[in-house]
Amino acid sequence: MATTTMQLDGSLRDELAEIARRDFAGVPLAEALRRLIREHQINKIMTRYAELRSDQQEWESYRAEVSLTDNAAADGLPPGSDEYPEYNT
Protein backbone atom coordinates (compact mmCIF):
# COMPACT_ATOMS: atom_id res chain seq x y z
CA MET A 1 0.00 0.00 0.00
CA ALA A 2 1.37 3.39 -1.01
CA THR A 3 1.90 6.02 1.66
CA THR A 4 0.82 9.60 1.22
CA THR A 5 0.61 12.74 3.31
CA MET A 6 -2.29 14.95 4.35
CA GLN A 7 -2.48 18.50 5.54
CA LEU A 8 -4.40 18.86 8.79
CA ASP A 9 -4.55 21.81 11.06
CA GLY A 10 -2.77 21.24 14.35
CA SER A 11 -5.90 21.08 16.47
CA LEU A 12 -7.43 18.35 14.29
CA ARG A 13 -4.22 16.34 14.41
CA ASP A 14 -4.11 16.72 18.18
CA GLU A 15 -7.73 15.63 18.47
CA LEU A 16 -7.03 12.50 16.39
CA ALA A 17 -3.96 11.78 18.51
CA GLU A 18 -6.07 12.07 21.68
CA ILE A 19 -8.68 9.67 20.27
CA ALA A 20 -5.91 7.24 19.31
CA ARG A 21 -4.44 7.45 22.81
CA ARG A 22 -7.66 7.39 24.82
CA ASP A 23 -9.98 5.16 22.80
CA PHE A 24 -7.64 2.93 20.79
CA ALA A 25 -4.81 2.19 23.22
CA GLY A 26 -2.30 4.49 21.57
CA VAL A 27 -2.35 3.04 18.05
CA PRO A 28 -0.72 5.07 15.27
CA LEU A 29 -2.87 7.85 13.84
CA ALA A 30 -3.44 6.00 10.56
CA GLU A 31 -4.86 3.02 12.45
CA ALA A 32 -7.06 5.29 14.56
CA LEU A 33 -8.39 6.84 11.37
CA ARG A 34 -9.06 3.38 9.88
CA ARG A 35 -11.01 2.44 13.00
CA LEU A 36 -13.01 5.66 12.94
CA ILE A 37 -13.87 5.12 9.27
CA ARG A 38 -14.94 1.54 10.01
CA GLU A 39 -17.07 2.75 12.93
CA HIS A 40 -18.66 5.34 10.64
CA GLN A 41 -19.47 2.65 8.06
CA ILE A 42 -21.03 0.39 10.69
CA ASN A 43 -23.08 3.31 12.04
CA LYS A 44 -24.41 4.02 8.54
CA ILE A 45 -25.41 0.37 8.17
CA MET A 46 -27.13 0.36 11.55
CA THR A 47 -29.00 3.57 10.66
CA ARG A 48 -30.24 1.95 7.47
CA TYR A 49 -31.43 -1.11 9.41
CA ALA A 50 -33.33 1.19 11.78
CA GLU A 51 -34.97 2.89 8.81
CA LEU A 52 -35.89 -0.50 7.37
CA ARG A 53 -37.34 -1.65 10.71
CA SER A 54 -39.56 1.43 10.84
CA ASP A 55 -41.55 0.06 7.87
CA GLN A 56 -43.04 -3.16 9.23
CA GLN A 57 -43.92 -4.57 5.81
CA GLU A 58 -40.46 -3.91 4.38
CA TRP A 59 -38.80 -5.31 7.51
CA GLU A 60 -40.84 -8.52 7.33
CA SER A 61 -40.03 -8.86 3.63
CA TYR A 62 -36.34 -8.37 4.37
CA ARG A 63 -36.41 -10.91 7.22
CA ALA A 64 -38.15 -13.48 5.02
CA GLU A 65 -35.55 -13.06 2.29
CA VAL A 66 -32.68 -13.21 4.76
CA SER A 67 -34.00 -16.42 6.25
CA LEU A 68 -34.00 -18.02 2.79
CA THR A 69 -30.40 -17.08 2.07
CA ASP A 70 -29.23 -17.87 5.60
CA ASN A 71 -30.75 -21.33 5.37
CA ALA A 72 -29.27 -21.88 1.91
CA ALA A 73 -25.77 -20.88 2.97
CA ALA A 74 -25.65 -23.18 6.00
CA ASP A 75 -22.08 -22.08 6.54
CA GLY A 76 -22.21 -22.59 10.28
CA LEU A 77 -21.00 -19.09 11.09
CA PRO A 78 -22.47 -17.33 14.11
CA PRO A 79 -24.80 -14.40 13.46
CA GLY A 80 -23.29 -10.94 13.19
CA SER A 81 -25.20 -9.90 16.29
CA ASP A 82 -22.97 -12.28 18.28
CA GLU A 83 -19.81 -10.85 16.75
CA TYR A 84 -20.79 -7.19 17.30
CA PRO A 85 -23.06 -7.16 20.39
CA GLU A 86 -22.46 -3.45 20.92
CA TYR A 87 -24.60 -2.76 17.84
CA ASN A 88 -27.57 -4.89 18.90
CA THR A 89 -30.74 -2.91 19.48
Side-chain angles (χ1 to χ4, degrees):
M1 174 173 25
T3 302
T4 187
T5 60
M6 297 174 55
Q7 289 186 350
L8 304 173
D9 68 46
S11 64
L12 180 58
R13 186 249 175 244
D14 293 346
E15 189 175 358
L16 182 57
E18 178 60 20
I19 290 169
R21 184 194 66 74
R22 183 188 63 230
D23 298 338
F24 301 126
V27 298
L29 298 187
E31 178 59 22
L33 191 52
R34 276 187 205 92
R35 292 180 186 190
L36 289 168
I37 290 169
R38 178 72 176 147
E39 184 177 307
H40 172 73
Q41 292 168 333
I42 290 171
N43 286 337
K44 284 178 54 178
I45 291 166
M46 297 309 292
T47 297
R48 181 61 189 114
Y49 276 121
E51 290 169 359
L52 191 57
R53 272 190 220 97
S54 70
D55 182 330
Q56 189 64 33
Q57 185 176 357
E58 285 296 317
W59 181 246
E60 291 302 322
S61 174
Y62 167 78
R63 298 281 294 164
E65 186 174 340
V66 164
S67 102
L68 292 174
T69 57
D70 282 353
N71 292 339
D75 56 15
L77 294 175
S81 58
D82 290 349
E83 187 173 354
Y84 298 102
E86 65 272 24
Y87 295 104
N88 294 339
T89 55

